């Protein structure tokens, strides 16, 4: 029965695609794609809702897979392919999409196991190798059966008595089924971030966050007022393994802060996440340091507004090497874009995320780090959808302001920089006036430009 349907479909598809996709089989053509692009999440214990390891598991999902890959919903990857090349790009190529679709349209032939790749071996061990140090959350978090859990924070002293350079960082969730993502920070002694929060117990940031006392043009530039980002963990993402000579700095006496986003999965359960560090064994030539371009405190999105826009722009006061981007907004987040106008007047979009999705906190690692010279205008633009058309929107009827709960909004364009290890002046920007942003690289139309609120750092 399947064979004849397959022959029939093969004739049709052969006509549409040329001869080759018509003999696509699961074992030879499809399984390697699933291993490479899908199984990190679609296997038992991971966040993918169903395992995609065997023919028997995959076959019933054929229709859903066809839709998901044609709409580019799976694998999740949100960078516009027209701008930039990214080392961790996990999107399927057009050829891969064709192969999957042809296989499904041909009636999902299994093929022969002798052509199948070896099953992947998923190790439960550390992917970075044996860590020099493991820090575990001192308590387990009780994840409820259902509902939305606000981000949970827990602070753990590092115990470091000297500055430490870390070359690799791996967050390992205690319970992969419910840890949607985690952000790991270090906070040096005297850091203002959640300074009044208790150590060793879970809390919500909104209660302890204080706007920094530093002068406006010094905020967000220094690791003193901002915690240092160590890793953004998301399922399917790789651990941080910096190149030779690169490292992140954790200063003596720092605290490690876990920011946990839990998604209940229908069963009451617990999680105790840990992080492993490998210290740099070679002299450090480049420090990797995360900054952000943002403007969130003046956010005020009217009810039902489908396209609220903001931008933030700064002049670089020294040369920087950009390594990666992490766009961050909340439930109404719609798009984010990073771009640069060089001192020569040339401009370039560095990353465009046209359809931001809060449920996927992603880092985009440039395939080639990008040098932005002193004097470059560095721009981050974002838009939000507070209309009922946004399926993530809990309350279209409410005005939304900047804040830390998922129901508040945020405008944070995180950027990983490569800087000189001994650099004492961690101030990389000065405010630029909104007029400095040329039309040429704007993605705003004339009429929505009028709505764009613009300013420097908040
Ligand atoms: C980074 C993790 C991740 C990767 C990689 C990934 N998925 Fe998914 N997938 C998920 C999660 C989580 C869901 C459920 C939530 C959602 O739909 O966004 C999902 C949902 C799906 C669904 C929809 C199931 C339904 O209920 O209709 C399909 C089909 C699917 N994935 C196929 C794939 C295929 C095929 C690949 C590889 C080409 C892939 N996924 C790669 C995490 C992933």
């Amino acid at each position: 029965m399947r064979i004849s349907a397959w022959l029939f479909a093969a004739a049709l598809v052969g006509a549409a695609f040329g001869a080759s996709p018509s003999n696509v089989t699961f074992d030879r053509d499809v399984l390697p794609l699933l291993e490479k692009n899908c199984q990190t999440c679609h296997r038992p214990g991971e966040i993918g809702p169903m395992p995609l390891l065997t023919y028997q598991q995959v076959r019933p999902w054929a229709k859903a897979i066809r839709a998901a890959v044609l709409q580019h919903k799976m694998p999740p990857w949100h960078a516009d392919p027209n701008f930039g090349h990214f080392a961790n790009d996990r999107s399927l190529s057009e050829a891969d999409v064709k192969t999957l679709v042809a296989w499904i349209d041909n009636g999902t032939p299994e093929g022969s196991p002798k052509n199948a790749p070896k099953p992947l071996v998923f190790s439960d061990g550390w992917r970075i190798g044996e860590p020099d140090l493991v820090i575990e959350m001192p308590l387990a978090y009780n994840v409820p059966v259902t509902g939305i859990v606000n981000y949970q924070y827990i602070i753990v002293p590092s115990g470091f008595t000297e500055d430490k350079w870390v070359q690799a960082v791996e967050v390992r969730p205690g319970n992969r089924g419910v840890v949607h993502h985690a952000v790991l920070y270090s906070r040096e002694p005297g850091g203002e971030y959640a300074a009044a929060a208790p150590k060793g117990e879970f809390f919500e940031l909104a209660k302890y966050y204080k706007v920094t006392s530093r002068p406006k043009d010094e905020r967000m530039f220094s690791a003193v007022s901002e915690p240092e980002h160590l890793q953004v963990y998301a399922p399917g993402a790789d651990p941080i393994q910096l190149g030779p000579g690169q490292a992140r700095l954790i200063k003596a006496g720092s605290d490690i802060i876990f920011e946990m986003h839990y998604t209940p999965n229908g069963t009451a359960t617990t999680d105790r996440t840990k992080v492993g560090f490998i210290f740099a064994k070679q002299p450090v030539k480049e420090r990797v340091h995360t900054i952000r371009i943002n403007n969130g405190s003046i956010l005020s999105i009217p009810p039902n507004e489908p396209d609220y826009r903001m931008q933030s722009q700064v002049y670089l006061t020294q040369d920087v090497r950009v390594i990666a981007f992490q766009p961050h907004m909340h439930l109404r987040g719609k798009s984010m874009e990073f771009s640069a106008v060089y001192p020569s007047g040339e401009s370039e979009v560095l990353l465009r995320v046209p359809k931001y999705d809060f449920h996927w906190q992603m880092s985009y690692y440039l395939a080639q780090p990008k040098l932005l010279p002193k004097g470059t205008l560095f721009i981050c633009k974002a838009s939000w959808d507070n209309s009922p058309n946004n399926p993530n929107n809990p309350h279209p009827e409410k005005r939304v302001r900047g804040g830390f709960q998922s129901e508040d909004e945020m405008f944070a364009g995180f950027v990983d920089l490569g800087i000189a290890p001994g650099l004492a002046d961690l101030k990389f920007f000065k405010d630029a006036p909104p007029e400095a942003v040329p039309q040429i690289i704007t993605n705003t139309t004339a009429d929505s430009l009028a709505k764009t609120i613009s300013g420097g750092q908040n």
Side-chain angles (χ1 to χ4, degrees):
M1 186 43 198
R2 200 168 73 225
I3 302 280
S4 60
W6 171 53
L7 287 177
F8 175 66
L12 289 180
V13 170
F17 285 105
S20 63
S22 64
N23 54 14
V24 168
T25 66
F26 181 81
D27 288 323
R28 191 189 55 211
D29 308 292
V30 171
L31 192 52
L33 292 182
L34 301 180
E35 288 189 350
K36 183 160 162 267
N37 299 290
C38 317
Q39 292 180 358
T40 38
C41 300
H42 288 277
R43 62 185 156 102
E46 283 290 350
I47 53 154
M50 68 290 185
L52 296 177
L53 303 177
T54 65
Y55 182 78
Q56 281 67 29
Q57 288 168 347
V58 175
R59 173 69 193 78
W61 290 97
K63 255 196 181 151
I65 291 173
R66 188 182 191 281
V69 300
L70 279 174
Q71 293 161 23
H72 299 285
K73 274 178 67 185
M74 287 287 145
W77 178 257
H78 301 137
D80 181 332
N82 294 309
F83 303 100
H85 296 288
F86 298 93
N88 60 330
D89 185 347
R90 59 157 106 86
S91 59
L92 291 173
S93 68
E94 281 312 309
D96 292 345
V97 172
K98 263 190 185 169
T99 301
L100 277 169
V101 170
W103 172 67
I104 294 160
D105 291 347
N106 287 358
T108 63
E110 186 168 2
S112 160
K114 73 175 194 301
N115 295 325
K118 282 210 191 81
L120 293 186
V121 179
F122 297 104
S123 90
D124 248 4
W126 293 92
R127 288 171 63 190
I128 56 172
E130 198 50 44
D132 294 320
L133 175 73
V134 175
I135 295 182
E136 187 170 32
M137 299 192 324
L139 304 172
Y141 187 74
N142 294 315
V143 184
V145 182
T146 54
I148 292 177
V149 181
N150 283 326
Y151 286 14
Q152 297 296 315
Y153 292 77
I154 190 163
I155 300 176
V156 190
S158 69
F160 293 165
T161 52
E162 53 179 16
D163 289 357
K164 291 284 192 186
W165 291 97
V166 293
Q167 196 268 321
V169 185
E170 181 174 354
V171 169
R172 296 196 57 199
N175 187 336
R176 288 177 189 272
V178 289
V179 176
H180 182 273
H181 76 265
V183 186
L184 193 81
Y185 307 93
S186 68
R187 179 185 67 184
E188 66 183 73
E192 295 178 353
Y193 189 76
K199 294 188 186 179
E201 54 188 84
F202 291 101
F203 64 92
E204 290 181 19
L205 188 61
K207 200 167 158 200
Y208 295 102
Y209 185 78
K210 274 209 342 242
V211 172
T212 167
S213 58
R214 294 162 73 83
K216 175 174 177 281
D217 71 339
E218 280 185 23
R219 282 177 220 159
M220 306 301 174
F221 303 139
S222 157
V224 176
S225 58
E226 269 290 277
E228 181 91 16
H229 276 224
L230 297 175
Q231 191 194 354
V232 180
Y233 161 86
D238 294 321
I240 303 286
Q241 286 174 290
L242 297 172
Q246 285 182 321
R248 285 189 179 269
L249 175 60
I250 304 181
K251 292 205 174 154
S254 290
D255 292 313
I256 302 298
I257 306 177
F258 291 82
E259 173 191 296
M260 304 299 302
H261 183 198
Y262 292 111
T263 39
N265 67 357
T267 312
T269 183
T270 61
D271 168 70
R272 215 171 145 191
T273 287
K274 56 189 168 190
V275 56
F277 295 107
I278 292 185
F279 300 125
K281 305 291 184 309
Q282 298 162 324
V284 176
K285 296 204 196 77
E286 186 169 60
R287 173 178 174 190
V288 177
H289 175 64
T290 305
I291 50 103
R292 59 172 163 164
I293 305 185
N294 72 320
N295 210 343
S297 66
I298 57 169
L299 263 168
S300 176
I301 311 176
N304 297 306
E305 168 58 56
D307 191 29
Y308 182 83
R309 294 172 184 234
M310 281 179 79
Q311 66 188 38
S312 185
Q313 60 283 320
V314 289
Y315 285 117
L316 294 177
T317 51
Q318 44 184 308
D319 292 358
V320 299
R321 241 162 69 93
V322 175
I323 293 173
F325 300 99
Q326 293 116 35
H328 180 70
M329 296 177 275
H330 291 170
L331 294 165
R332 277 87 167 182
K334 182 177 173 186
S335 72
M336 193 177 274
E337 177 185 298
F338 294 87
S339 56
V341 182
Y342 300 109
S344 67
E346 281 169 274
S347 62
E348 185 175 20
V349 173
L350 302 169
L351 168 71
R352 179 176 289 172
V353 175
K355 278 195 197 145
Y356 174 84
D357 184 343
F358 173 70
H359 296 298
W360 295 105
Q361 295 294 321
M362 292 208 223
S363 298
Y364 299 87
Y365 287 88
L366 286 166
Q368 287 297 325
K370 186 104 198 163
L371 181 77
L372 304 184
K374 180 179 170 177
T376 296
L377 180 65
F378 200 6
I379 305 163
C380 183
K381 294 180 175 190
S383 69
W384 290 262
D385 181 354
N386 193 23
S387 78
N389 293 333
N390 173 358
N392 291 330
N393 193 350
H395 293 294
E397 74 289 357
K398 285 194 182 160
R399 177 171 290 273
V400 190
R401 298 182 200 275
F404 282 89
Q405 304 293 356
S406 305
E407 298 199 2
D408 306 323
E409 261 315 324
M410 195 171 273
F411 175 11
F414 291 104
V415 184
D416 287 355
L417 300 180
I419 61 176
L423 190 71
D425 178 11
L426 295 184
K427 190 173 166 189
F428 302 98
F429 316 131
K430 64 174 195 243
D431 270 1
E435 313 80 80
V437 177
Q439 286 300 307
I440 182 168
I441 52 168
T442 184
N443 63 353
T444 43
T445 58
D447 108 288
S448 59
L449 204 81
K451 292 190 303 217
T452 300
I453 300 176
S454 178
Q457 299 285 299
N458 58 354

